[in-house]
Amino acid sequence: MDKCIYLDNSATTPVAAEVLEAMTPYFCEAYGNASSLHASGREARQAIEKGRAEIAAILGVSPSEIVFTSGATEANNLAIIGMAFAHQEKRHIITSKIEHHAVLYPCQWLESQGYEVTTLDVDKTGRIDLEQLKDAIRKDTLLVSIMAGNNETGTLQPVEEIGAICRERGVAFHTDAVQAYGKIQLPTDSIDLLSVSAHKLHGPKGVGFLMVRKGISLTPLLHGGGHEGGRRSGTENTPGIVGLAAASSLAFNKMEETTARMRRLKRRLIDAINAIPGTRLNGHETGSLPHIVNVSFQGIEGESLVMKLDEHGIETSTGSACSSPTLEPSHVLLAIGVPISMAHGSLRISTGRQTTCEEIDAFLDVLPRVVEELRAISPFKVGE
Ligand SMILES: Cc1ncc(COP(=O)(O)O)c(C=O)c1O
């Protein structure tokens, strides 16, 4: 494949060279099962516990509060369903309309099992209303699950304030921090459960973790050998965990510098896109993650735009990667009040640590031409 301009880093990121290097010995050399007593088993165990300690130190929690999983879908399911099953005396959960399906669907499944779920609205930038959250909390509310930063628009939630409200009312607080981890400082002290996925931060696919604050009990979803302190059975993915820890360290060590650079690229993107007639920026312009820009173009289909850009070797997305093939307008964009026609014309551009200024310039050179070409063959006219 020719080198493309990859601007779909919210979907996944390339594995960093340092991460691959850290993982490599754990495939064919130190391949032991971390539960085995012999030398190669002990070596694998040591690597896993080193990784756990590194991640715990980044978050300022204790290593026993980190549970490794197969990714964030599993971490979110473990947080939500695991909490619900462990505390069946309380059967009410609060979440929001703009959550990832890996949060919304476990909540919907719990509803089918007799739990009650309140789904909070968001304003036109995608932020929840703290007063609405306070009003929604009831005596039988067990859990609030609100994401830290949105995967489609980048909009950040007031995580610290949400955590304070939950703590005051004795409700556990889970946040899906997949897009925010490694991009911004998270107020870990305010959070009881936090989900992360390695492949969004230049780590490998198929590995992540759930931070579970001490004292929070969860019913495991996977039963077996009692790994991860009995909270998640299954032979540990040693290379994956080593990669996740290496990716975390890299992201946090370089966070300020990378975030500042990404913010500059984002500014450049927004200014140039705003100059194209018939566009609309979706999400919060400043209270948002540094790597995501979401924009709608009047009169064209997002899918056609993604395909046309792909022909030019530029990879972008219409929304979240997992829901792209459905051609349904994004639930996130609809929740923030984007009209259906504009929601269909949305494009998500997401940068990574490897994205250069030259790549953004090359993209911005192609984009207005492609938009014009598509509008020329569209039955809808801009301004109609
Ligand atoms: C916000 C958010 N939550 C959860 C997930 C799912 O993560 P994973 O791919 O590790 O299952 C994603 C990935 O698209 C995401 O962006």
Side-chain angles (χ1 to χ4, degrees), residues 10 71-73 76 100 102 147 151 176 178-179 197 199-200 322:
S10 293
T73 299
N76 287 343
H100 192 274
M147 73 199 324
N151 48 300
D176 174 339
V178 167
Q179 298 290 342
S197 178
H199 73 100
K200 308 288 185 176
C322 19

Side-chain angles (χ1 to χ4, degrees), residues 69-81:
T69 65
S70 64
T73 299
E74 185 190 334
N76 287 343
N77 274 264
L78 178 58
I80 296 165
I81 299 176

Side-chain angles (χ1 to χ4, degrees), residues 168-190:
E168 194 189 299
R169 306 285 288 272
V171 178
F173 173 38
H174 166 246
T175 193
D176 174 339
V178 167
Q179 298 290 342
Y181 178 80
K183 303 284 190 327
I184 56 163
Q185 282 303 346
L186 289 159
T188 322
D189 287 351
S190 319

Side-chain angles (χ1 to χ4, degrees), residues 56-86:
I58 285 171
L59 290 176
V61 300
S62 120
S64 62
E65 294 174 305
I66 302 297
V67 178
F68 290 117
T69 65
S70 64
T73 299
E74 185 190 334
N76 287 343
N77 274 264
L78 178 58
I80 296 165
I81 299 176
M83 274 297 281
F85 277 22

Side-chain angles (χ1 to χ4, degrees), residues 42 49 82 91 97 134 167 173 178 180 221 273 293 371:
R42 292 199 304 275
E49 296 316 322
R91 297 176 80 83
K97 283 191 178 161
K134 284 183 199 162
R167 195 119 327 147
F173 173 38
V178 167
L221 303 183
I273 292 171
V293 174
V371 168

